[in-house]
Each structure stands twice: as structure tokens, then as C-alpha cells.
Amino acid sequence: IKALRKAHRWLDELLTDPKQTIESIAAQESKSERSIRMTLSLAFLSPDLVKSAIDGRLPRGFGLTRLIDLPIAWSDQWAALGLKAPART
């Protein structure tokens, strides 16, 4: 949850402050640019996937590492994880 929060905060900073860059965020956070980019990818997760993760409904072993750097298309994210997307009502 902390990583999701950071990802959304950093994305907001990048979108609202033209002076903000991945490099400047990395310097502020004392992290590598790669680490920032990987965490930022969490801001693009499917809302259903985020809810499943927060609710603890993902299979055992589906931690942060498995959720980083998934495809942008939400339907492809489920497939990349080898999971079936929840049915929409």
C-alpha cells in the first residue's frame, strides 16, 4: 500500500510540476532512477487489481515484485499474471 501511495504521489508531482523529473525524485528519495520508474509503474495498475491486492485476494506470492512493470492495458495485466480478471457486473 505504501508503494502504491508513493507511485501516485510521484506521478502527481511529475504531472503538476514541470520542474519535477524522475531524476529529481530519485535524488529526493535517495533511490535509483530505475527504482523510481519501477515504483511509478504501480500507478497504472488496474483498479480491480489494486483492490484485490489491498483486500488480500491475490494468490500467495503475489507481492510488490510481481505487480511492478506490468503491461499498461488493464486486461493484459491480469493475463500477464496468469490470473482471470474479475467479472464485471
Side-chain angles (χ1 to χ4, degrees), residues 24-74:
S24 63
I25 292 172
Q28 287 172 302
E29 301 288 331
S30 299
K31 295 186 178 289
S32 69
E33 291 175 30
R34 181 175 185 268
S35 173
I36 300 302
R37 284 187 178 90
M38 289 171 57
T39 302
L40 273 170
S41 73
L42 296 172
F44 300 96
L45 288 178
S46 149
D48 289 333
L49 192 53
V50 170
K51 182 164 177 29
S52 293
I54 290 171
D55 292 347
R57 291 186 285 122
L58 293 178
R60 184 177 182 88
F62 277 72
L64 188 59
T65 305
R66 297 278 308 262
L67 300 176
I68 287 177
D69 205 25
L70 289 174
I72 292 293
W74 292 346

